[in-house]
């Protein structure tokens, strides 16, 4: 036989009521606070888009071939407006045997190779016909064929370029889907000063979590 449960005393009943009332008030207060402060999703820092200059496809330089295609001003290439065919301009040097580029060609800053090893105009231009190039092995090339001129001295780079490894190809790898375009050496390299200045690299990819805010960095202007 179980003993009859003892009826709780008057005072303990009152205490329970006070505790319940206290808890109720606590929850009501919490509800009031939560209602007063509207809930917002955790704000995520905005991920900046990649600076579009890194996606730019236009070449840095326009070649003779580009200008001819666009029917643009080709007066720089009309050598015989100023020169005479029978009288090719002689090369002049200072007392250190450094080539002097005349004022009329002051837009040309020669600097081909680390020790100006390839600065002589007639290493590339044809002394007998300024309107063409001549390679060291005696081939005459048109202005629009300048990549083959470069290739006559830079064999490995030319081979890589033909394979699509050096210099950029735009368009379709699969030629059946569309056309692809290979830039000429002089679209990237200034033939007279071909070294490409160092540029800032593009920013790294954005991680999915914990976005690290990176200021998009503009590449340093490189107009060779
Ligand atoms: C606007 C006039 C003008 C045009 C166009 C021009 N030249 Fe000249 N060039 C000059 C003058 C002036 C000189 C210096 C005088 C001289 O040696 O006859 C010169 C000098 C040269 C020299 C000698 C450079 C040196 O270091 O001494 C070469 C090589 C040359 N020109 C090649 C060319 C070629 C190639 C073209 C065309 C692609 C061309 N020029 C177009 C005016 C011109
Ligand atoms: C490494 C080969 C090379 C040498 C060396 C060189 N040139 Fe050129 N030059 C070129 C090529 C390639 C072009 C045409 C590039 C193009 O398609 O835009 C050119 C273009 C030119 C032009 C017409 C466009 C312009 O930039 O004004 C002139 C004028 C010229 N060269 C003069 C000279 C003179 C003068 C010298 C010597 C001081 C010289 N070049 C040395 C390769 C060379
Ligand atoms: C007559 C031979 C000859 C021709 C043609 C020639 N180059 Fe060069 N090139 C050289 C030599 C020599 C050097 C210097 C190598 C060195 O200094 O170690 C050089 C260096 C260079 C460099 C490295 C420059 C540096 O400072 O790091 C580049 C890029 C270059 N050439 C591009 C070209 C392009 C583009 C053409 C065509 C417009 C061209 N070359 C045509 C002989 C040539
Ligand atoms: C789409 C642009 C582009 C084209 C087209 C291009 N190059 Fe370059 N080339 C570069 C860049 C970028 C470098 C690396 C420069 C650096 O490392 O400082 C370079 C480097 C070079 C060098 C320096 C030596 C080396 O191997 O690093 C040579 C020489 C050279 N190129 C020759 C050529 C020749 C020749 C052609 C054409 C047959 C050509 N390039 C076409 C962009 C180009």
């Amino acid at each position: 036989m179980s003993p009859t449960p003892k009826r709780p005393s008057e005072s303990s009943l009152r205490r329970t009521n006070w505790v319940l009332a206290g808890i109720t008030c606590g929850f009501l207060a919490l509800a009031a606070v939560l209602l007063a402060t509207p809930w917002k999703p955790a704000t995520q820092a905005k991920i900046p888009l990649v600076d579009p200059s890194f996606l730019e496809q236009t070449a840095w330089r326009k070649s003779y071939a580009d200008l001819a295609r666009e029917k643009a001003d080709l007066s720089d290439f009309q050598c015989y407006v100023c020169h005479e065919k029978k009288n090719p301009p002689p090369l002049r040097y200072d007392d250190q045997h450094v080539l002097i580029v005349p004022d009329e060609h002051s837009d040309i800053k020669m600097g081909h190779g680390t020790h100006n090893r390839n600065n002589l105009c007639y290493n590339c231009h044809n002394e007998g016909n300024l309107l063409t190039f001549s390679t060291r092995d005696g081939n005459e090339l048109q202005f629009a064929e300048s990549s083959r001129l470069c290739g006559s001295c830079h064999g490995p780079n030319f081979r890589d370029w033909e394979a699509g490894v050096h210099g950029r190809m735009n368009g379709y790898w699969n030629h059946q889907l569309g056309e692809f375009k290979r830039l000429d050496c002089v679209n990237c390299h200034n033939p007279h000063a071909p070294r490409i200045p160092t540029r800032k690299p593009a920013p790294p990819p954005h991680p999915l979590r914990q976005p690290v805010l990176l200021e998009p960095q503009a590449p340093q202007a490189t107009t060779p």
Side-chain angles (χ1 to χ4, degrees), residues 157-178:
N157 293 82
F158 186 75
R159 180 199 58 206
D160 292 351
W161 175 79
E162 281 202 307
V165 186
H166 185 97
R168 199 173 64 189
M169 289 218 265
N170 293 326
Y172 294 86
W173 285 101
N174 184 346
H175 301 183
Q176 261 135 36
L177 294 178

Side-chain angles (χ1 to χ4, degrees), residues 93-219:
Y93 305 91
D94 66 12
D95 44 13
Q96 305 290 311
H97 205 72
V98 174
L99 185 82
I100 301 170
V101 180
D103 286 347
E104 286 76 6
H105 289 301
S106 61
D107 55 326
I108 296 177
K109 302 267 178 295
M110 281 312 295
H112 198 126
T114 35
H115 296 93
N116 298 334
R117 284 199 182 99
N118 189 32
N119 276 2
L120 302 189
C121 316
Y122 297 132
N123 283 1
C124 299
H125 294 279
N126 184 354
E127 192 165 0
N129 177 6
L130 292 179
L131 298 179
T132 59
F133 299 122
S134 76
T135 62
R136 293 298 83 204
D137 49 10
N139 277 328
E140 198 171 341
L141 297 172
Q142 301 304 312
F143 281 151
E145 299 175 296
S146 59
S147 289
R148 282 180 59 207
L149 168 76
C150 312
S152 70
C153 291
H154 295 285
N157 293 82
F158 186 75
R159 180 199 58 206
D160 292 351
W161 175 79
E162 281 202 307
V165 186
H166 185 97
R168 199 173 64 189
M169 289 218 265
N170 293 326
Y172 294 86
W173 285 101
N174 184 346
H175 301 183
Q176 261 135 36
L177 294 178
E179 64 168 17
F180 80 100
K181 194 172 175 289
R182 204 199 301 273
L183 293 175
D184 276 311
C185 315
V186 292
N187 281 132
C188 300
H189 297 281
N190 179 337
H192 302 127
R195 203 186 74 79
I196 292 180
T198 320
R199 293 194 300 166
K200 275 199 180 149
H206 294 296
L208 283 180
R209 289 166 209 291
Q210 273 297 309
V212 183
L213 274 180
L214 286 170
E215 282 296 311
Q217 288 172 340

